[in-house]
Amino acid sequence: MTFELVAQGGLERRERSGVGCIAESGFCPDWIADNYDRYITPFFEHVYLTVVSVAIGFAIAFTLALIAHRRQWLVGPITGVTGTLYTVPSVAFFFLLQPITGLGNTTAIVALVCYTLLIIFRNVITGLRAVPADAKDAARGMGLTDRQLLLRVELPLALPEILAGLRIATTTTVGLAALAFLAGGGGLGAELDEQPFFKSNVAVAGGLAVLLAAALDVIILTFQRLVTPWQRAAA
Amino acid sequence: MAEGRGVTAPLAFLGQFGDAVEFIFKERDSVSGGVQVGGLAELGDFALIHLLVSLVAMVVACAVSVPIGLYLGHKGRGEFLAISVSNVGRAVPAVILLFFFIAFVGNGFKNVAVVLVLLAIPPILTNTYVGVRQVDRELVDAARGMGMSGAQIVRRVRLPLAMPTIFAGIRTSAVSVLATATIGPYANLQTLGEPILSPQIYDFSGQLGAAIVVALITLAADAGIGLAQRAVTPRGLKLAEGPGRRPRLALPTRRREAAT
Amino acid sequence: MTSSVRLIMAALAALLLALGGTACGSDDEEESAGGGGGATSATLIEKDPANASKTITVGSKNFDEQVILGEVYAQALEAAGFKVERKLNLGDEQVIYKALKAGQLDGYPEYTGTSLTNFFDLKVKDVPKDPDKAYELAMEEYAKQDITALPRTQFENTYRVGTTKEKQQSLLKGATTLSEVAKLPNADDLSLSGFATCRQRPDCLLGLKSLYGWSPEFVADEGKYDPIDKDRADLGVVFSTDGELTTGKYAVIEDDKGLFPPYNVSFGIRNDALKKIGPKGREVILAVQEPLTEDAMRELNSRVSLDKEQPEEVATQYLKEEGFVK
């Protein structure tokens, strides 16, 4: 096979001095202003991963906690299982699930859900346990059924604890979702991994993740304040 | 990808388990051959660095957080600081912090240790502060009445009574630190994360094997600190917990923290 | 100016114009055999509506050049009307080869040397040094897997051992070839940084040991030039098409014993997918890789690694500047 002598070709050859903010991989506000749009999709992927994982995790853990609240002997085993899942390093999880769930969102979400279980479960149980006995007795005295007791007395009083757990789970998930790219799940972590030495990139991708965690934290906190007005006085 | 594998995969997974355990104990060829990987020797090296960097971080974090937490808790000042540290600590996830360090500061043992210290401080600091504040006012007054100085009060009254809470914080931190040390290889630190992050060399069984080791270490640390927690809980407190009250769970879930 | 000088200038100008004109004008409309001169040299890819029902999955490995190439092929096929799914940045050669054989993707650009030593178990010293022979051997081996290795690119992206110019003087005492480095008294104390799999690759670290007798301390680091810059390693395994090599900061140590086999790119595509895209699709793939000289590839890589642009955009720029798309 022979190739004709190719001269310049149409490709423009740029002048590069090797000097300058971008060339030196520094923190360059100009570059950020020009390129911020490349972070938009990863940001929303990150939001998606976090919100979906926490929602599913909450649904599962909350249900387990309600069941265990009535059958206290279950608390130990459930804590054990969710606790063990918690100790498996998240990094490993993203890889180990791949043979079963493949590359992509699903693997990432399954792994992230597993991490929220322990935190939420523990907090819901603790919150329910902390409900003062007199409140429960008074309610029973008023003739409330078990379910009414749960809905009208126990859960509202346990709410601060539950929401605290939700906050911790959410911010932790934002952090772990930064590794979701290992499972092909996208997110801001993928951007970090692409140019880990380029300061501007790390600053933006990392900064967005931190802002997301903070924002979600504040949202849940605000919700908590709104829903438990009696707590404000107690603080 | 998972086509046709969905059902048989979990079974195959169990088979892989045996392979992974073998990886822990015996050396074998890397994925494309040419290098020996695995076995106790290599994993031992990784585990050593993993534990070392975690231990250093925990020691430094405790050395910094406990005194400050004790002081602030005793004086009753700086609640805002303690709570803020905890909030900021939660908002900046460990992974992100590590990436920041790699880009802006550098990598290697020292830098990873610093990141882990920063990660470990918030739970310990907050818990120390809260634990000290929770001590019954009457006990402190009684001690003051007996003529104890501030420092003595802290040492003999507040600290022992706050121990369980402080240890709960240490437990939380330790688990976080051990887990985060797994991504050390990103910063060129060869912890147990090395086989996990390099499947091209170590293969799936290598990843699983290393993951099992990390999980075991973390469980052991958690249990160990839990035992220590029971050991340092003054007998009086243990009795006070009595049959009527439920034992506390490990995560600090103080009303104060929840209310912020 | 005197009138005679002006005359000569005019004649020269005319001559240049004529030469330029003929160079441009001699282009074929069919095979874009060489993109010599001018933006109108390459053929604009025609969109064939019949292709719209055909989907092809293009993959790539997980480093800049691969992602750029993957995008170039993907966008070119899209310009021809095909529906293209991308599985770029998938992983290293082991991962992607498995995926290719399993049908999770239809094709990706692989380096001839890499496939021969990593997939087909050739010893590094047995790989033909001639790029064409290496390609033909790879083609034969791939064919056994029902995969067609399409004709190779002219450029190759081979390994180089590089270091900063200062370190070449201070640590290597001015050594310019790997044999010289291996003979240095401090040879085995030197540290060499490289991507993780280099450690187990016979065409990387293992080859250095066996052919040159040089056993440097290996530092696994995905940073390429960063470890050398920041003194995490003395030397580094780099690539001949790296953009950084144009900055003049680095010195490349010559592979005088010819350890590294040829590494031309050949798009390996599953036979069923090749049938799907047909001869026109095949033409598009070959046409679009034609202008890729080592120089051109280095330019594209520089745009990603130095100018910090995104591979997709750089691929689009390439296709536009070469005249394949508008």
Side-chain angles (χ1 to χ4, degrees), chain A residues 27 46 72 75 79 83-84 86-92 95-104 118-119 122-123 125-126 129 160-161 164 167-168 171-172 174-176 178-179 181-182 189 192-193 196-200 202-203 205-207 209-211 213-214 217 221 224-225 231 234-235, chain B residues 1-2 5-6 9-10 13 16 79 87-88 90-97 99-105 107 171-172 175-176 178-180 182-183 186 193 196-199 204 207-212 214-216 218-219 222 246-260:
Chain A
F27 182 75
H46 211 103
Q72 283 295 322
V75 174
T79 308
T84 311
Y86 192 77
T87 55
V88 174
S90 51
V91 172
F95 282 112
L96 300 179
L97 287 173
Q98 282 178 26
I100 308 176
T101 48
L103 278 176
L118 176 67
I119 303 171
R122 277 211 277 220
N123 272 46
I125 288 282
T126 314
R129 278 183 183 171
E161 201 65 48
R167 277 168 63 207
I168 299 177
T171 49
T172 313
V174 171
L176 290 176
L179 291 173
F181 70 92
L182 292 170
L192 283 170
D193 185 53
F197 296 109
F198 184 24
K199 297 188 173 117
S200 309
V202 174
V210 172
L211 284 175
D217 198 53
L221 186 57
Q224 181 182 330
R225 288 260 162 89
Q231 279 288 330
Chain B
M1 224 155 300
R5 283 208 252 161
F13 188 82
Q16 292 277 27
E79 168 162 2
N87 285 341
V88 169
R90 280 214 307 267
V92 182
V95 177
I96 309 290
L97 197 57
F99 272 108
F100 264 114
F101 259 72
I102 295 174
F104 287 87
V105 183
N107 38 22
R171 244 170 119 173
T172 310
V175 171
S176 289
L178 283 168
T180 311
T182 314
I183 44 177
Y186 251 100
I196 300 177
L197 287 169
S198 299
F204 184 82
Q207 288 182 305
L208 190 52
I212 293 173
V214 176
L216 288 175
T218 312
L219 282 168
D222 189 55
R246 298 264 155 66
R248 294 190 207 126
L249 292 176
L251 249 192
T253 52
R254 305 275 123 219
R255 198 170 54 101
R256 220 172 264 272
E257 228 202 10
T260 46

Side-chain angles (χ1 to χ4, degrees), chain C residues 31 54 82 274-286:
Chain C
E31 301 277 81
K54 306 182 187 162
F82 293 99
L274 186 57
K275 268 200 212 77
K276 215 198 292 186
I277 62 173
K280 286 286 183 191
R282 183 184 192 275
E283 226 174 78
V284 165
I285 294 177
L286 295 180

